[in-house]
Amino acid sequence: MPIPLNLSALILAAAFLLGGCASRGPVPTFYDFGPAAPLAAATAAPAVPVLVIADANGPSWLDSQRMYYRLLYADAQQSRPYAYNRWNTPPLQLLSQRLKTRVAQSGVKVLSTTDAAAGMPLLRIDVDDFSQNFDTQTQSSGHVSLRASLFRGHRLIDQKTFSRSGPAGSADAQGGAQALAAASDAIAADLLTWLGTLNITKE
């Protein structure tokens, strides 16, 4: 018995819909640094009441939402993206916001470059690395490396490189995200300590 034309059309439409659903990959999972915990009570008093912090600069691959890792035991020169895991916001923005939050938590009034007045101290951040590194198939760590430069006007007050690594609790993107968040917080603490040693107000 032949199938009615309208029923045939419905069957074909359903087949296309099912085929489309079946061809889709897993839904991506998105990560960020999570909420910033309060600073330790022993945090030193801020060295300056107001600080301009420019958004971090870095390589173009850090200006996307893709999450990258390296297999140090296989090919340390190759940076590989996770297929179905993403950052909510590109790492350069995530790191910029976390550093601004930490500096503000220390008691400093943080301004952006668009709000800055002439003569205010300016902190520039250049990120060299931000990735999850696998030493073995089951052990990895989050590594963050950056260069901080403090200016007043066109004069460089000081510059320092910071590097931190933290073990990942699991050999996957979730573990990498947690490790990179911890490494970023550790660098923020180092940055605050460094700022506290500088005579920023001196002309």
Side-chain angles (χ1 to χ4, degrees), residues 33-174:
F33 284 172
L39 289 180
T43 300
V48 66
V50 181
L51 181 64
V52 181
I53 301 181
D55 290 336
N57 295 310
S60 59
W61 59 272
L62 289 178
D63 202 20
S64 76
Q65 291 177 258
R66 306 200 78 172
M67 298 181 72
Y68 287 89
Y69 63 93
R70 294 180 187 274
L71 302 179
L72 301 184
Y73 62 89
D75 186 0
Q77 282 69 47
Q78 185 177 3
S79 182
R80 309 163 190 255
Y82 277 104
Y84 300 112
N85 298 280
R86 302 284 188 274
W87 292 109
N88 276 338
T89 307
L92 289 178
Q93 296 181 33
L94 281 174
L95 191 54
S96 295
Q97 188 55 51
R98 181 51 63 97
L99 294 177
K100 291 177 183 180
T101 297
R102 287 306 195 189
V103 173
Q105 284 179 328
S106 74
V108 176
K109 293 181 180 179
V110 176
L111 299 180
S112 65
T113 52
T114 55
D115 298 325
M120 285 186 176
L122 168 67
L123 181 67
R124 295 189 183 277
I125 301 295
D126 294 286
V127 183
D128 296 318
D129 192 22
F130 184 94
S131 59
Q132 182 181 8
N133 297 327
F134 282 83
D135 294 310
T136 68
Q137 292 183 358
T138 58
Q139 291 184 330
S140 68
S141 60
H143 180 73
V144 180
S145 178
L146 58 83
R147 183 174 63 261
S149 305
L150 186 67
F151 294 87
R152 181 180 281 280
H154 297 291
R155 181 171 66 90
L156 176 65
I157 296 175
D158 199 6
Q159 184 180 88
K160 188 171 183 179
T161 297
F162 299 89
S163 183
R164 282 282 194 160
S165 295
S170 56
D172 53 18
Q174 181 180 6

